[in-house]
Amino acid sequence: MPEVTTNDLIKLFEEAAKTDRRLPPAIKKQKTTASWLATKQEKMYSHSWNKVEFVIRPTSKDISRWWIASILLREVVEEIDLKRIIWLKAKRFPWTHIARFVGVDRRKVKRMWEEEIMYIRLWLQLNQNNKKINDIIDKIVINKKYN
């Protein structure tokens, strides 16, 4: 039975924030030109001096880990401020910006974040006999190598 560490949870939330940036927008922008014209221009400019923008699409593994992180934030964490703190730290915001956003001292914000990560870890360990939670734990700790 794999054990979840706090580093696993921190890594999970950071990967989820990265995946969230890579996902397509919820509302798709309307196109002003025909789609065949856009593809034709893309082929025409593919070998020119113009910049070519690459879009990195998330894999199904990334999306499932993003979904697990959202489930943990939705079901385990109760206070909205703590959810914001965890998500902003996953997006790599500095403690001072998070503290201004929440309205608390930066040291207290860091302590709240650490306590909540430990609480999520403890909640997962206590409920690991549940089949659904056990599957979640397996997906969180998927990158670890066993001896």
Side-chain angles (χ1 to χ4, degrees), residues 44-104:
M44 187 169 62
Y45 293 122
S46 63
H47 300 292
S48 67
W49 291 98
N50 297 336
K51 275 189 172 180
V52 178
E53 294 182 15
F54 293 102
V55 179
I56 301 172
R57 302 275 184 225
T59 62
S60 61
K61 178 183 168 187
D62 294 338
I63 293 173
S64 67
R65 288 176 63 85
W66 170 79
W67 186 253
I68 288 170
S70 66
I71 287 173
L72 289 177
L73 282 179
R74 186 175 56 233
E75 294 182 4
V76 179
V77 183
E78 296 174 358
E79 292 185 30
I80 294 175
D81 284 340
L82 291 174
K83 292 178 185 182
R84 289 179 181 162
I85 290 170
I86 290 172
W87 194 249
L88 288 174
K89 191 57 191 168
K91 287 181 151 185
R92 299 179 183 257
F93 275 68
W95 292 115
T96 52
H97 293 299
I98 299 172
R100 284 188 207 127
F101 185 72
V102 178
V104 188

Side-chain angles (χ1 to χ4, degrees), residues 1-31:
M1 175 76 45
E3 276 205 27
V4 179
T5 62
T6 54
N7 289 333
D8 292 334
L9 288 172
I10 293 167
K11 192 175 178 183
L12 171 76
F13 286 119
E14 286 177 353
E15 288 177 6
K18 190 186 297 183
T19 304
D20 192 45
R21 281 193 303 269
R22 290 178 178 172
L23 287 173
I27 299 172
K28 195 168 187 173
K29 296 178 183 176
Q30 293 181 351
K31 295 182 180 179

Side-chain angles (χ1 to χ4, degrees), residues 129-140:
N129 294 333
N130 187 349
K131 175 85 169 97
K132 182 179 176 184
I133 306 298
N134 198 7
D135 291 342
I136 288 175
I137 291 173
D138 287 341
K139 288 183 182 175
I140 291 174

